[in-house]
């Protein structure tokens, strides 16, 4: 639809949309893919919406976000997660202010006080507020610090009596009493809750009880991400030998390092480093393929999260063995460009879930090497749960067999994906139109003369 019209509900004004837990500053392309796709979903239903991110950062920023109809300007309203309580945008200070404002004797006084704080004012003026929590960070599996990092902005929205949507994500597990209490409060008071896998629905239903809404399934937002060719074709792709299958391999720097504790933090059955090297050797020597290492989290040497650091170490150790048939993407492409490059592969193996989504959403058969339940839930949602290999349960022999079976069935998988992906993409694209249509109180806009209907 052209500006001034929407697909779905009749718009009564230009909506202001605030997104929590989305960022382009992490160097994690999965988080960036979620952010871009959420903006695209909003603009597909509200082409003239103003969208901004409310997230942590030392300074405000402006991002240019690509989507199917062009490029959108999205501002970052920056919060601080810091002990420096004198900062006006310190999340703890803002929370305390919001709680104190609840004691204001009149609504008018409260609204006047909110407008005096530029950060609270931005939240107060938003019509739609949605939280992504990085996709899988609304949990205590990564520690209490990460949990509070994503939970506090959500609490701030609720303390300001603003409607909060929890966008499609993995919820839980919540193992601690404190985290369960806080998560339960947020879930029960959210205007709408979307989970990207059925396991998350089972996790949160007991915490929600008789809340204002019941959780609903919706696919991961990143299925909507647009692939964009990079400027100039990379040499490893341009020089691909004819009839030689190209296998993309995303190696997780975090798993390669043994997790944050460096001692197999996630309890994998097989040694991950050995598994990676064995898989590369198998595809090049036994299957006659070329392998390109595809990072999805960038970082410097010594950074535990860095896929590029892990890939560089692999190339140093193995690179001379295979006569140029093992290569690595070393340039730091954005999420759109990396998705395009992943789409040039004939087969894909990934330890980062959104790297696998980038492949599957383009019809590229992909095996997910899982270290948490989020892989199984998300891939089951599109009917390819058989492409998940749980590294916590499978030994080396079973892992290799499952990967080989998928590789040999890649044409059938590709055909199945071609049938399924259009419906998945359309569901994500129309999420915000559907939300506003179903939740009439969510979009509280000032009346204005409706735009003429499209001809």
């Amino acid at each position: 639809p052209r500006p001034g019209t929407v697909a779905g509900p009749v718009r009564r004004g230009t909506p202001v949309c605030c997104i929590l837990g989305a960022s382009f500053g992490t160097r994690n392309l999965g988080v960036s893919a979620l952010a871009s796709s959420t903006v695209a979903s909003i603009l597909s239903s509200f082409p003239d919406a103003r969208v901004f991110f409310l997230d942590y950062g030392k300074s405000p920023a402006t991002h240019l976000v690509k989507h199917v109809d062009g490029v959108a300007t999205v501002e970052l309203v920056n919060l601080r997660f810091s002990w420096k309580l004198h900062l006006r945008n310190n999340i703890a200070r803002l929370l305390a202010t919001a709680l104190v404002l609840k004691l204001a004797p009149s609504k008018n006084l409260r609204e006047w006080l909110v407008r005096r704080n530029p950060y609270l004012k931005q939240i107060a003026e938003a019509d739609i507020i949605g939280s992504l929590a990085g996709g899988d960070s609304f949990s205590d599996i990564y520690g209490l610090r990460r949990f509070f990092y994503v939970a506090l902005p959500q609490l701030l929205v609720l303390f300001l009596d603003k409607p909060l949507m929890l966008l499609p994500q993995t919820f839980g597990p919540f193992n601690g009493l404190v985290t369960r209490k806080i998560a339960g409060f947020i879930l029960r008071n959210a205007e709408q809750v979307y989970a990207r896998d059925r396991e998350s629905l089972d996790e949160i239903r007991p915490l929600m009880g008789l809340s204002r809404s019941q959780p609903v399934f919706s696919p991961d937002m990143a299925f909507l991400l647009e692939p964009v060719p990079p400027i100039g074709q990379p040499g490893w792709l341009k020089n691909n030998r004819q009839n030689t299958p190209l296998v993309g391999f995303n190696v997780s720097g975090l798993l390669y390092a043994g997790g944050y504790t460096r001692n197999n933090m996630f309890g994998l059955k097989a040694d991950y480093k050995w598994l990676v090297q064995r898989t590369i050797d198998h595809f090049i020597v036994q299957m006659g393929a070329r392998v390109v290492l595809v990072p999805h989290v960038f970082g410097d040497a010594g950074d535990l999260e860095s896929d590029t650091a892990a890939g560089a170490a692999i190339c140093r150790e193995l690179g001379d063995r295979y006569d140029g048939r093992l290569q690595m993407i070393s340039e730091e492409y954005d999420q759109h460009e990396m998705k395009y490059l992943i789409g040039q592969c004939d087969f894909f193996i990934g330890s980062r879930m959104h790297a696998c989504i980038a492949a599957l959403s383009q019809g590229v058969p992909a095996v997910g090497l899982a270290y948490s339940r989020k892989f199984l839930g998300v891939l089951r949602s599109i009917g390819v749960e058989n492409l998940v290999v749980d590294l916590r349960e499978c030994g080396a022999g079973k892992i290799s067999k499952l990967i080989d079976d998928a590789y040999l069935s890649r044409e059938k998988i590709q055909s199945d994906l071609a049938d399924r992906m259009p419906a998945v993409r359309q569901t994500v694209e129309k999420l915000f139109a559907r939300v506003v249509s179903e939740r009439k109180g969510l979009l509280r806009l000032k009346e204005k003369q409706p735009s003429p209907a499209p001809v």
Side-chain angles (χ1 to χ4, degrees):
R2 68 187 183 189
T5 67
V6 295
V10 177
R11 197 189 72 259
R12 297 181 294 154
T14 301
V16 177
C17 303
C18 169
I19 306 301
L20 312 179
S23 172
F24 293 110
T26 65
R27 301 180 80 187
N28 182 326
L29 295 186
V31 176
S32 299
L34 285 171
S36 287
S37 301
T38 302
V39 172
S41 180
I42 293 170
L43 295 178
S44 72
S45 295
F46 304 101
D48 53 356
R50 179 203 164 210
V51 184
F52 71 92
F53 296 147
L54 183 71
D55 200 30
Y56 299 101
K58 290 189 176 180
S59 58
T62 300
H63 301 287
L64 297 178
V65 181
K66 303 169 190 173
H67 59 98
V68 68
D69 293 319
V71 179
T73 301
V74 178
E75 299 173 15
L76 167 66
V77 177
N78 65 306
L79 303 175
R80 294 298 301 274
F81 190 77
S82 165
W83 292 109
K84 298 177 181 178
L85 297 178
H86 65 279
L87 298 173
R88 294 186 73 190
N89 59 345
N90 182 288
I91 184 63
R93 176 172 171 171
L94 291 172
L95 278 166
T97 303
L99 286 171
V100 169
L101 287 175
K102 282 185 169 292
L103 303 177
S106 74
K107 181 181 178 181
N108 288 339
L109 175 60
R110 182 174 181 237
E111 291 177 350
W112 180 77
L113 291 171
V114 166
R115 288 195 298 269
R116 288 175 58 84
N117 183 299
Y119 301 96
L120 298 182
K121 181 175 181 287
Q122 293 268 25
I123 300 172
E125 291 178 349
D127 301 297
I128 298 174
I129 303 177
S131 173
L132 278 167
D136 69 343
S137 292
F138 197 15
S139 167
D140 56 14
I141 189 176
Y142 298 112
L144 281 176
R145 187 179 189 277
R146 176 86 70 89
F147 173 82
F148 282 110
Y149 192 84
V150 301
L152 293 182
Q154 298 177 58
L155 290 172
L156 178 60
V157 170
L158 294 175
F159 290 168
L160 290 172
D161 296 324
K162 296 292 294 183
L164 174 67
M165 288 171 53
L166 300 184
L167 298 172
Q169 59 191 275
T170 297
F171 293 98
F174 303 104
N175 297 310
L177 178 61
V178 172
T179 55
R180 288 183 67 82
K181 291 289 186 184
I182 295 173
F185 175 84
I186 293 171
L187 289 161
R188 286 191 300 274
N189 287 279
E191 188 80 13
Q192 185 62 61
V193 178
Y194 290 93
R196 65 187 182 185
D197 57 89
R198 309 292 179 183
E199 291 78 7
S200 287
L201 293 175
D202 295 337
E203 174 83 24
I204 62 181
R205 281 191 181 110
L207 297 178
M208 295 183 69
L210 298 175
S211 60
R212 67 172 66 188
S213 66
Q214 288 302 303
V216 178
F217 166 78
S218 186
D220 189 281
M221 301 300 294
F223 282 106
L224 189 60
L225 186 72
E226 287 292 322
V228 176
I231 298 173
Q233 193 176 45
W236 59 267
L237 183 58
K238 183 166 53 179
N239 298 329
N240 190 21
R241 298 170 187 170
Q242 192 173 12
N243 299 322
T244 301
L246 180 61
V247 175
F249 196 174
N250 163 246
V251 176
S252 165
L254 184 61
L255 296 186
Y256 205 77
Y260 296 114
T261 61
R262 295 181 179 270
N263 63 351
N264 193 18
M265 172 184 176
F266 297 102
L268 310 186
K269 275 200 170 181
D271 180 84
Y272 185 75
K273 285 186 178 181
W274 177 84
L275 176 67
V276 165
Q277 294 185 10
R278 183 174 185 266
T279 302
I280 291 170
D281 188 80
H282 175 70
F283 272 97
I284 293 176
V285 176
Q286 303 298 323
M287 299 296 192
R290 294 176 66 239
V291 175
V292 58
L293 301 179
V294 182
H296 221 244
V297 175
F298 297 107
D300 302 322
D303 182 353
L304 286 179
E305 291 274 7
S306 174
D307 297 355
T308 45
I314 293 167
C315 288
R316 284 195 300 270
E317 187 167 350
L318 304 181
D320 295 335
R321 298 184 189 180
Y322 301 119
D323 188 28
R325 288 193 291 163
L326 172 63
Q327 293 180 295
M328 173 183 166
I329 298 177
S330 55
E331 297 87 348
E332 191 161 341
Y333 294 106
D334 71 17
Q335 62 276 11
H336 301 274
E337 296 166 333
M338 191 64 82
K339 179 168 182 174
Y340 172 86
L341 294 174
I342 289 173
Q344 307 310 300
C345 298
D346 300 296
F347 186 73
F348 193 80
I349 307 166
S351 299
R352 302 281 187 184
M353 190 184 71
H354 281 101
C356 294
I357 288 175
L360 294 166
S361 61
Q362 298 181 90
V364 177
V367 170
L369 303 181
Y371 63 92
S372 74
R373 66 173 172 82
K374 68 180 180 181
F375 280 79
L376 181 61
V378 172
L379 269 64
R380 178 181 285 142
S381 75
I382 60 170
V384 292
E385 61 270 25
N386 59 309
L387 298 179
V388 178
V389 179
D390 194 329
L391 301 180
R392 302 168 302 173
E393 298 179 1
C394 298
K398 186 175 181 180
I399 293 169
S400 295
K401 183 179 186 309
L402 290 170
I403 293 174
D404 276 358
D405 288 348
Y407 182 73
L408 296 174
S409 305
R410 60 190 184 277
E411 290 185 3
K412 172 65 165 58
I413 296 169
Q414 187 175 30
S415 175
D416 290 344
L417 290 171
D419 292 336
R420 295 170 184 163
M421 282 303 108
V424 172
R425 181 183 174 90
Q426 186 177 45
T427 300
V428 177
E429 185 178 29
K430 299 305 179 187
L431 175 66
F432 285 89
R434 190 168 67 251
V435 166
V436 173
S437 177
E438 294 171 354
R439 310 290 295 183
K440 298 297 185 183
L442 191 62
L443 192 59
R444 303 182 177 96
L445 303 177
K446 295 179 180 179
E447 293 284 352
K448 80 174 207 178
Q449 190 69 24
S451 301
V455 178

